[in-house]
Amino acid sequence: MQPEVTRATARMANGKAVDIYRPSARCGPDPLPAVLIWHGIGPDERDILRPVAEAVAAGGTMVFAPDWRSDAPDRGRAHLLDSLEFVRKEAAGHGADPDRLVVAGWSAGAGAAVGLVTRPDLFDTPRPTAVVGIAGRYDVPARTTGTAPLDDVVAHAPEAAAVHLVHGTEDELDVTHSRVFAEALAARSWPVRLVEPVSDHAGVVMSEYDAVAGRCVPSASERARLGGEATVEAILSAASGLRA
């Protein structure tokens, strides 16, 4: 039986909502690893990540899932970085360790998350312990940096950080995007692991696209099961400090 998870909603200084997931039962007094997870291009769609966030929290982490708007004038950069600052400042008060922070992102959020470690010179805060890119592209400008992570890891030669990638083999956003990025990281001795479940773009976050609703909704399909399991395992692996 999956451990019970509680969910609370807070407001960041910018007014955006962030859902905070935590396991109801704690094992020991130590703070939990903190996971910040960003949704994709749909504005203010943190709810799409609820199935993944609950499963990751059940695995023994504190998960923060904020809203952000890709249609903002800055393409969402301020919202994303505000949520990072929120977790850095507030994690301890919620029983999580801000020094054990994993940042994960799905779709447009994937490049944004990875950009935190490929261009650390752009940020005043410490780099995350690890990042997880879920069904992303890395050859286009990331929402956090304005530059492409694939270019940055070559041109700027930042210090290596742990990168976990998940990309479904049936994704309409070709899995080659993640393969090329993983190869570029490995060529520079970065610890990287790419997992390719038999899933599609929505399936990797336990969802499917609903054409009537015009958005992704939770799904119990086989694609969603396989994709979701791969994503949850990747985030928990990153949070536990495992390396590829």
Side-chain angles (χ1 to χ4, degrees):
M1 180 180 296
Q2 178 171 295
E4 184 179 353
V5 170
T6 62
R7 176 173 61 94
T9 301
R11 291 281 170 180
M12 297 182 285
N14 62 11
K16 289 296 178 188
V18 53
D19 288 337
I20 304 170
Y21 299 82
R22 72 186 77 197
S24 298
R26 293 284 298 276
C27 297
D30 294 337
L32 298 172
V35 174
L36 171 61
I37 185 166
W38 289 330
H39 64 74
I41 200 168
D44 294 340
E45 289 189 340
R46 73 187 192 282
D47 59 297
I48 287 175
L49 297 175
R50 182 171 180 174
V52 167
E54 288 181 333
V56 172
T61 71
M62 190 81 66
V63 181
F64 299 82
D67 275 338
W68 66 281
R69 294 192 69 92
S70 62
D71 57 356
D74 66 353
R75 302 175 71 244
R77 184 177 192 271
H79 293 158
L80 293 165
L81 296 184
D82 284 350
S83 69
L84 179 62
E85 181 181 11
F86 176 87
V87 174
R88 290 287 190 194
K89 290 183 176 179
E90 304 294 333
H94 290 281
D97 185 352
D99 294 325
R100 298 170 63 199
L101 173 62
V102 171
V103 180
W106 168 62
S107 194
V114 168
L116 298 177
V117 296
T118 57
R119 283 301 306 273
D121 56 299
L122 297 180
F123 311 103
D124 295 329
T125 58
R127 290 202 300 179
T129 302
V131 293
V132 183
I134 308 159
R137 284 187 66 172
Y138 308 99
D139 60 339
V140 295
R143 306 255 166 179
T144 47
T145 64
T147 54
L150 182 60
D151 294 338
D152 291 338
V153 76
V154 176
H156 295 276
E159 182 181 351
V163 178
H164 298 248
L165 302 173
V166 180
H167 209 126
T169 57
E170 299 180 9
D171 195 331
E172 59 272 24
L173 182 66
D174 200 304
V175 66
T176 301
H177 291 295
S178 289
R179 290 174 181 169
V180 168
F181 187 53
E183 290 170 0
L185 292 171
R188 288 155 183 82
S189 300
W190 281 48
V192 57
R193 184 175 69 168
L194 169 61
V195 179
E196 301 181 10
V198 181
S199 190
D200 57 13
H201 199 67
V204 291
V205 287
M206 300 184 180
S207 299
E208 61 184 11
Y209 183 73
D210 185 324
V212 175
R215 68 201 312 273
C216 293
V217 297
S219 174
S221 71
E222 183 68 2
R223 284 182 176 182
R225 183 186 68 80
L226 292 172
E229 286 178 353
T231 295
V232 170
E233 191 279 331
I235 297 174
L236 290 176
S237 178
S240 70
L242 297 179
R243 295 295 184 261

